[in-house]
Amino acid sequence: MADLEALAKAFTGLGIDEKSLIENLGKSHPEHRALFRKRTPHFFIEDERSFERWNDHCVRLLKHEFVRFKNALVLWAMHPWERDARLVKEALKKGPQSYGVIVEIACTRSSEELLGARKAYHSLFDQSIEEDVATHIHGSERKLLVALVSAYRYEGPKVKEDAAKSEAKILANAIKNGLKKNPIEDEEVIRILSTRSKAHLKIVYKHYKEVSGNIIHEDLDVSDLILKETVECLCSPHAYFSKVLDEAMGSDSHKNTKKGLTRVIVTRADVDMKEIKEEYMNLFGVSLSKKIEEKANGNYRDFLVTLITRDN
């Protein structure tokens, strides 16, 4: 019984427990495997011709889990510019549910890192990120996303206090009047979010709270998801990454959401993983390594834990 439970557990979660499969499935006899099929109805279906066959949906999911470790290794070995370029391309292919990845890359990278991704995109796909985003995206978020991927922000410490106060009022009015005009289509909102330095935007957000009475995240609802993610990535990236990681490890998460676990850890391990781990603990009351050890399996789990616990 214990080995049957171990076998079922090896197939469950993020990644596959390869060692357990080898020890339990590899050494099993036909009778043992028949018992396993009968006792795992979520994996196998009783056929009308009296045999247990794989659930096709389950097989498709398992294929994703078996390649999760391989994909993490491939992404980790890539040059960061190529990695970001390929992530943007994949997000465009998958459609609106993945546009948040474009926001993430455009808003959490430095100016030089984003420029590098744009150069890599030229080499890999013989076109620019900007034209690909403009061509593939047709919704209200199009102008904002084109502006974000085109940005080359000032990264120095100087901030224009008067301009920040004025722009806080512009954002507050645009969001307040959102029923009349979607703020994501407002030219001034796009200008502020796509051109101002991150240091400047933090002062804008501080003044926004003084004007509105709320932090800007609270005034943006689910219908403003792209705009909300833009603000989070620019203003509080470590909290944003922590939420992406936690959602990726949810038991009922969509397969695209689960990819966030690999993407965030691989892209941030050399950058700001220490700060992300601290923020994750603050938000969820458990260490990121412990959560990964609970939710992931096998080589995939071990690789992710290695990345987040290594000395940079």
Side-chain angles (χ1 to χ4, degrees):
M1 179 66 73
D3 54 350
L4 286 176
E5 291 176 359
L7 193 52
K9 187 176 184 301
F11 282 115
T12 306
L14 292 161
I16 299 294
D17 189 344
E18 297 89 351
K19 185 178 178 181
S20 181
L21 288 181
I22 292 169
E23 290 178 352
N24 292 290
L25 194 58
K27 297 176 182 178
S28 66
H29 296 291
E31 297 80 8
H32 184 264
R33 292 194 297 279
L35 188 60
F36 170 64
R37 289 191 294 271
K38 286 183 180 296
R39 293 190 177 180
T40 51
H42 51 299
F43 291 144
F44 296 91
I45 300 171
E46 182 69 33
D47 190 85
E48 60 184 11
R49 293 177 175 81
S50 301
F51 72 99
E52 304 84 20
R53 60 182 176 86
W54 271 108
N55 180 329
D56 290 340
H57 175 66
C58 182
V59 171
R60 287 193 294 273
L61 291 178
L62 286 174
K63 285 180 180 178
H64 285 291
E65 298 307 329
F66 272 110
V67 301
R68 209 175 283 282
F69 173 53
K70 180 208 76 174
N71 290 342
L73 278 174
V74 170
L75 280 175
W76 177 245
M78 276 185 196
H79 191 290
W81 295 359
E82 178 183 2
R83 186 166 58 214
D84 282 346
R86 291 191 182 278
L87 287 170
V88 170
K89 188 68 171 180
E90 181 184 24
L92 286 172
K93 287 181 178 178
K94 290 190 176 297
Q97 74 273 20
S98 295
Y99 290 166
V101 175
I102 302 173
V103 171
E104 178 183 307
I105 290 169
C107 297
T108 64
R109 290 356 180 211
S110 70
S111 295
E112 285 297 320
E113 288 167 344
L114 181 56
L115 180 61
R118 289 160 64 186
K119 290 178 179 178
Y121 208 92
H122 289 187
S123 297
L124 294 168
F125 307 115
D126 296 317
Q127 55 193 327
S128 70
I129 287 182
E130 300 92 318
E131 66 179 302
D132 225 3
V133 168
T135 301
H136 283 82
I137 297 176
H138 305 288
S140 58
E141 66 270 38
R142 178 181 178 179
K143 286 185 179 180
L144 175 62
L145 290 177
V146 171
L148 291 175
V149 298
S150 306
Y152 190 87
R153 300 175 192 273
Y154 165 68
E155 294 183 328
K158 292 186 178 179
V159 172
K160 297 177 181 178
E161 189 75 28
D162 290 342
K165 288 181 180 178
S166 173
E167 289 169 351
K169 292 176 183 177
I170 291 171
L171 290 179
N173 288 333
I175 292 170
K176 182 180 178 181
N177 297 320
L179 291 177
K180 296 179 181 177
K181 181 180 181 180
N182 190 337
I184 204 171
E185 297 179 282
D186 188 294
E187 295 290 345
E188 282 294 275
V189 172
I190 293 171
R191 176 188 65 79
I192 294 165
L193 295 179
S194 64
T195 66
R196 288 302 194 183
S197 73
K198 294 174 185 178
H200 181 93
L201 287 171
K202 285 184 179 179
I203 302 301
V204 171
Y205 299 150
K206 183 190 79 171
H207 289 303
Y208 181 96
K209 186 175 182 181
E210 296 169 0
V211 172
S212 166
N214 298 320
I215 59 174
I216 192 168
H217 306 68
E218 294 173 346
D219 286 345
L220 293 169
D221 57 32
V222 178
S223 63
D224 302 312
L225 184 58
I226 290 294
L227 193 57
K228 190 170 186 175
E229 289 177 339
T230 299
V231 170
E232 288 177 341
C233 285
L234 290 168
C235 177
S236 50
H238 302 132
Y240 164 82
F241 285 128
S242 296
K243 291 172 186 175
V244 170
L245 289 168
D246 198 65
E247 288 172 6
M249 291 185 279
S251 55
D252 58 349
S253 296
H254 186 272
K255 65 179 181 180
N256 286 338
T257 304
K258 289 180 179 179
K259 285 185 175 183
L261 181 60
T262 299
R263 185 183 71 252
V264 171
I265 290 179
V266 166
T267 59
R268 308 313 293 179
D270 283 331
V271 185
D272 52 0
M273 186 50 66
K274 180 176 181 291
E275 291 80 4
I276 292 171
K277 288 191 293 182
E278 290 172 356
E279 186 65 20
Y280 190 91
M281 174 64 84
N282 289 336
L283 289 174
F284 303 108
V286 62
S287 75
L288 180 57
S289 355
K290 184 176 181 182
K291 189 66 176 284
I292 291 172
E293 287 170 354
E294 290 174 357
K295 295 293 184 177
N297 295 317
N299 292 333
Y300 178 63
R301 173 199 61 214
D302 296 343
F303 184 59
L304 295 186
V305 171
T306 297
L307 292 186
I308 68 171
T309 56
R310 60 197 279 273
D311 294 326
N312 290 329

